[in-house]
Amino acid sequence: MLAVSQRAFGGPQVLEIIETERPEPGPHEVLVRIKAAGVNPADWKIRSGQIRRLGQPPFTLGLDLSGVVEAVGEAVTRLRAAAGGIGHLAVQIAKARGAYVIGTARADKHAFLHRLGADELIDYTRADFATVARDIDVVLDPIAEDYGPRSLDTLAPGGILIDVRGAGPDRSDVRKLADERGLRFVEFGFTPSTADLEAIAGLVRQGALRAAVETVLPLAQAARAHELSETGRVKGKIVLTVNEAV
């Protein structure tokens, strides 16, 4: 089979298409024939070495996929067929849970986000969200850097700042500042779970959640997909498709 691999940390150019043996699932694993795979900001951050989630290269990137289960390990009982863009999915999930959603985005993305359910939008190129948004209960921060301290300024008493970036500057100063103000600060990671996936699938079936796809590219253009993701200008998802003949 073919895979996108890398032998060193670096820019998109380190990605290469390799031919490798088809894996066999272990006792608690499933083998999925991938039809399409999403390209996420976390992928290029792992590729560049900003996040060391997969250890040292060589390795194959990828955090989400769509495909068909072809084989399961002997201990697997629940799976027999398999099913970004952080922001656009977060908007929909928050709305499905009854939240009033305020987002920050460039003006050219406002119509797209309103269609997904965002109630109010701030063009961060024209206004500082920290001076516009007030009495916010929950802030979801995928950027970090100075966005953490600025986000604290928008929170209501007892509010919470959720940092989902996963890597970057030390957060101890942000945590200390939050404690001093009586606010909560959480660094949020993830571990895939069946319960979470079933809850998300339920939202999809209800029509409350959909993944917007902006760009579809063949597997061979994985480096181009990473370049697009790194611009930070993508609305929704970037998807790589896998040829059936592979």
Side-chain angles (χ1 to χ4, degrees):
M1 69 173 207
L2 298 182
V4 179
S5 185
Q6 65 181 87
R7 289 178 286 182
F9 292 118
Q13 72 277 3
V14 303
L15 299 177
E16 55 184 320
I17 304 294
I18 64 168
E19 189 167 350
T20 185
E21 293 295 321
R22 171 178 144 163
E24 293 296 330
H28 297 277
E29 297 176 337
V30 297
L31 177 66
V32 179
R33 178 178 290 277
I34 298 175
K35 304 289 187 179
V39 175
N40 303 284
D43 293 318
W44 61 261
K45 291 170 186 173
I46 294 172
R47 183 212 71 222
S48 65
Q50 291 184 39
I51 299 176
R52 299 300 177 100
R53 183 180 178 88
L54 302 181
Q56 292 293 318
F59 50 66
T60 298
L61 292 169
L63 297 173
D64 59 50
L65 60 92
S66 174
V68 178
V69 173
E70 293 231 326
V72 300
E74 58 187 24
V76 176
T77 59
R78 302 193 65 175
L79 290 176
R80 298 289 175 184
I86 293 176
H88 89 288
L89 296 177
V91 167
Q92 297 174 78
I93 293 172
K95 287 300 296 181
R97 293 293 184 261
Y100 182 90
V101 178
I102 302 173
T104 61
R106 290 175 176 270
D108 61 354
K109 295 183 180 181
H110 285 195
F112 166 71
L113 291 169
H114 276 307
R115 288 195 297 271
L116 295 180
D119 298 289
E120 189 177 334
L121 293 164
I122 301 169
D123 182 350
Y124 63 83
T125 67
R126 297 185 177 183
D128 180 0
F129 73 89
T131 64
V132 176
R134 282 291 180 269
D135 296 321
I136 306 299
D137 295 311
V138 180
V139 172
L140 187 69
D141 175 19
I143 301 176
E145 299 170 355
D146 69 335
Y147 282 76
R150 292 166 62 200
S151 294
L152 292 177
D153 292 338
T154 71
L155 288 174
I160 184 170
L161 169 60
I162 303 175
D163 185 325
V164 299
R165 182 177 171 87
D170 182 75
R171 311 303 204 284
S172 57
D173 289 343
V174 181
R175 189 181 304 278
K176 179 180 178 182
L177 189 58
D179 289 341
E180 291 173 351
R181 299 185 185 185
L183 302 170
R184 293 174 290 164
F185 172 70
V186 173
E187 291 183 61
F188 182 80
F190 72 92
T191 300
S193 74
T194 300
D196 289 342
L197 290 174
E198 288 178 345
I200 291 172
L203 292 176
V204 173
R205 287 192 294 271
Q206 296 165 24
L209 180 65
R210 65 182 180 88
V213 177
E214 180 177 75
T215 303
V216 178
L217 296 169
L219 186 68
Q221 293 188 34
R224 174 58 180 157
H226 276 234
E227 291 173 355
L228 291 173
S229 181
E230 288 188 65
T231 66
R233 302 291 180 85
V234 177
K235 292 183 290 188
K237 298 287 292 183
I238 300 172
V239 172
L240 293 173
T241 56
V242 180
N243 191 310
E244 280 292 321
V246 174

